[in-house]
Amino acid sequence: MNNDLSSLIQALRDFAQARDWEQFHSPKNLASALSVEVAELLEHFQWLTEDQSRHLSEPKRAEVAAEAADVLLYLLQLCDKLDIDLIEAARRKMIVNGEKYPVDSSRASSKKYTDI
Amino acid sequence: MNNDLSSLIQALRDFAQARDWEQFHSPKNLASALSVEVAELLEHFQWLTEDQSRHLSEPKRAEVAAEAADVLLYLLQLCDKLDIDLIEAARRKMIVNGEKYPVDSSRASSKKYTDI
Amino acid sequence: MNNDLSSLIQALRDFAQARDWEQFHSPKNLASALSVEVAELLEHFQWLTEDQSRHLSEPKRAEVAAEAADVLLYLLQLCDKLDIDLIEAARRKMIVNGEKYPVDSSRASSKKYTDI
Amino acid sequence: MNNDLSSLIQALRDFAQARDWEQFHSPKNLASALSVEVAELLEHFQWLTEDQSRHLSEPKRAEVAAEAADVLLYLLQLCDKLDIDLIEAARRKMIVNGEKYPVDSSRASSKKYTDI
């Protein structure tokens, strides 16, 4: 895991420990909290058109950034509790995705996106 | 943004571009996809006790790692589209959280966790 | 609660009891399961345009109906465990919404929908 | 569809029409909104133990009832837009579930609940 993420993970550990919050942070609870934070992010987009979502106002963009941060922070805590190396898992998943969606047969017309 | 995340972001850009998938990747759609991936992660925990969630079998832990990876990959793509520096946003959020939950008044008894 | 919903609730109770599943159905777990089912519903729409979502194929519409059913079934079980009369709660919420969004000041231009 | 749900559906139609909100209510958007409401419900349970979730205070139970109502109201609107009979879909799903989880082989030990 790289330096930036490692220092965030350490800061999250210290934060929870100082407040005696570790007792609440079971993986089950953290997965729920992650889900709630993602919904707070989605809420910003629910009534926008796709085009509007590409051109957020600056205040809205800042709110979305704060929600995205919450998502990352809970995701890091969940992975920390389960001893999962998130970057390594992401790299592996990109390889799996490359095999699942070969370039030639996956262009635009991909069933993934066009199954209405 | 650090090297590991930067190289993931670049890989995700190349992946989508090679498949002509960028047209589907509006922030609105990516926020929905993120939400769906988080639910696939939550699904692994929904019927477990908190204690069971702390002691996953190795195959289960590997499945959770793969879902956590999907969450990170969509989160990175969403932030990339909106020009959000996720690490910077997370650091700022930790400062905000430190002010919102001072150590002394936030120990275990915090309303955040004990409001039943 | 009306007859149709009452008979569904009774059928859900019998179903869980016959399988000794009540032990897993804490409100906390049912709320997670509800969240997972809603994501399976959302998954059908995540890459569609709004217009495509209004014109689903018949097989897709049937899949969405099955997911919507799952959402209702978990929602009914959650409310049953907490002794909540869902229809009564919905009627009350419509009254609250009517006061929160008066017709005159809430037409189309409502901040609810136009805050980009 | 029974009388109680039919009158709620009609009230929801009138409510949206009076405010000119139908333009925002594509099935895609309603599915996102449903997802956001379910997360607001889940939020009440995220840090509770399962046992605490079975014994909510009266104010908390009222808040959960209001969120459950929001979930039903968006679910009804989504089904209305797609011409889905929700009660009929739920009945069909119960039959499917009965075949998928036969009583004898699905008691407590069911893989559904014990796969850790």
Side-chain angles (χ1 to χ4, degrees), chain B residues 37-66:
Chain B
E37 293 302 335
V38 165
E40 292 181 6
L41 202 164
L42 180 60
E43 191 174 8
H44 288 285
F45 297 104
Q46 63 186 343
W47 304 119
L48 303 189
T49 64
E50 287 186 63
D51 196 50
Q52 287 173 326
S53 81
R54 288 190 185 95
H55 303 95
L56 301 183
S57 68
E58 192 50 38
K60 187 85 161 178
R61 206 178 65 96
E63 288 178 66
V64 169

Side-chain angles (χ1 to χ4, degrees), chain B residues 5-110:
Chain B
L5 289 184
S6 295
S7 66
L8 274 176
I9 292 166
Q10 190 57 54
L12 286 162
R13 281 183 199 161
D14 295 345
F15 194 94
Q17 195 168 22
R19 286 156 186 80
D20 201 14
W21 284 1
E22 288 155 319
Q23 58 188 307
F24 304 110
H25 290 186
S26 63
K28 180 185 178 80
N29 286 2
L30 290 169
S32 284
L34 177 63
S35 177
V36 169
E37 293 302 335
V38 165
E40 292 181 6
L41 202 164
L42 180 60
E43 191 174 8
H44 288 285
F45 297 104
Q46 63 186 343
W47 304 119
L48 303 189
T49 64
E50 287 186 63
D51 196 50
Q52 287 173 326
S53 81
R54 288 190 185 95
H55 303 95
L56 301 183
S57 68
E58 192 50 38
K60 187 85 161 178
R61 206 178 65 96
E63 288 178 66
V64 169
E67 299 297 354
D70 279 334
V71 173
L72 180 65
L73 295 176
Y74 276 120
L75 184 62
L76 290 176
Q77 287 179 91
L78 176 61
C79 289
D80 189 31
K81 292 291 177 193
L82 294 172
D83 207 18
I84 289 170
D85 183 324
L86 185 57
I87 295 289
E88 180 56 28
R91 283 193 191 121
R92 258 184 243 159
K93 198 58 194 280
M94 295 262 339
I95 294 170
V96 171
N97 286 345
E99 290 162 358
K100 189 172 171 187
Y101 301 105
V103 171
D104 286 344
S105 58
S106 304
R107 292 183 63 80
S109 60
S110 170

Side-chain angles (χ1 to χ4, degrees), chain C residues 2 4-5 8 11-12 15 18-21 23-29 31-32 35 38 41-42 45-46 48 50 53-54 56 61 64-66 68-75 78-79 82-84 86-87 89-91 93-94 97-98 101 103 106-108 110 112-113, chain D residues 2 4-5 8 11-12 15 18-21 23-29 31-32 35 38 41-42 45-46 48 50 53-54 56 61 64-66 68-75 78-79 82-84 86-87 89-91 93-94 97-98 101 103 106-108 110 112-113:
Chain C
N2 63 64
D4 285 347
L5 288 184
L8 274 175
L12 286 162
F15 194 95
R19 287 157 186 80
D20 201 13
W21 284 1
Q23 58 187 307
F24 305 110
H25 290 185
S26 63
K28 180 184 177 82
N29 286 1
S32 284
S35 178
V38 165
L41 201 163
L42 181 60
F45 297 105
Q46 64 186 343
L48 302 189
E50 287 186 64
S53 81
R54 288 189 185 94
L56 301 183
R61 205 177 66 96
V64 168
D70 280 333
V71 173
L72 180 65
L73 295 176
Y74 276 120
L75 184 62
L78 175 61
C79 289
L82 294 171
D83 206 19
I84 290 170
L86 185 56
I87 294 290
R91 282 195 192 118
K93 197 59 194 279
M94 296 265 335
N97 286 345
Y101 301 106
V103 171
S106 304
R107 293 183 64 80
S110 169
K112 174 172 178 180
Y113 293 107
Chain D
N2 64 63
D4 286 347
L5 288 184
L8 275 176
L12 286 163
F15 195 94
R19 286 156 186 80
D20 201 14
W21 284 1
Q23 57 188 308
F24 305 110
H25 290 186
S26 63
K28 180 185 178 81
N29 287 1
S32 284
S35 178
V38 165
L41 202 164
L42 180 59
F45 296 105
Q46 63 187 344
L48 303 188
E50 287 185 63
S53 82
R54 289 190 184 94
L56 301 183
R61 205 177 65 97
V64 168
D70 279 333
V71 173
L72 180 65
L73 294 176
Y74 277 120
L75 183 62
L78 176 60
C79 289
L82 294 171
D83 207 19
I84 289 170
L86 185 55
I87 295 290
R91 284 195 191 118
K93 197 60 194 280
M94 296 260 343
N97 286 345
Y101 300 106
V103 171
S106 305
R107 292 182 64 79
S110 170
K112 175 173 177 180
Y113 293 106

Side-chain angles (χ1 to χ4, degrees), chain A residues 1-2 4-5 8 11-12 15 17-29 31-32 34-35 38 41-42 45-50 53-54 56 61 64-66 68-75 78-79 82-84 86-87 89-91 93-94 97-98 101-103 106-108 110 112-114, chain B residues 1-2 4-5 8 11-12 15 17-29 31-32 34-35 38 41-42 45-50 53-54 56 61 64-66 68-75 78-79 82-84 86-87 89-91 93-94 97-98 101-103 106-108 110 112-114:
Chain A
M1 191 74 76
N2 64 63
D4 286 347
L5 289 184
L8 274 176
L12 286 162
F15 194 95
Q17 196 168 20
R19 286 155 186 80
D20 201 14
W21 284 0
E22 288 155 320
Q23 58 187 308
F24 304 110
H25 289 185
S26 63
K28 180 184 177 82
N29 286 1
S32 284
L34 177 64
S35 178
V38 165
L41 202 164
L42 180 60
F45 297 104
Q46 63 187 343
W47 305 119
L48 303 189
T49 64
E50 287 185 63
S53 81
R54 289 191 185 93
L56 302 182
R61 206 178 65 96
V64 168
D70 279 334
V71 173
L72 180 65
L73 294 176
Y74 277 120
L75 183 62
L78 175 62
C79 288
L82 294 172
D83 206 19
I84 289 170
L86 186 56
I87 295 290
R91 283 195 192 119
K93 198 58 194 279
M94 295 263 337
N97 287 345
Y101 300 107
V103 171
S106 304
R107 292 182 63 80
S110 169
K112 174 172 178 181
Y113 293 107
T114 55
Chain B
M1 191 72 78
N2 63 63
D4 285 348
L5 289 184
L8 274 176
L12 286 162
F15 194 94
Q17 195 168 22
R19 286 156 186 80
D20 201 14
W21 284 1
E22 288 155 319
Q23 58 188 307
F24 304 110
H25 290 186
S26 63
K28 180 185 178 80
N29 286 2
S32 284
L34 177 63
S35 177
V38 165
L41 202 164
L42 180 60
F45 297 104
Q46 63 186 343
W47 304 119
L48 303 189
T49 64
E50 287 186 63
S53 81
R54 288 190 185 95
L56 301 183
R61 206 178 65 96
V64 169
D70 279 334
V71 173
L72 180 65
L73 295 176
Y74 276 120
L75 184 62
L78 176 61
C79 289
L82 294 172
D83 207 18
I84 289 170
L86 185 57
I87 295 289
R91 283 193 191 121
K93 198 58 194 280
M94 295 262 339
N97 286 345
Y101 301 105
V103 171
S106 304
R107 292 183 63 80
S110 170
K112 174 172 178 181
Y113 293 108
T114 57

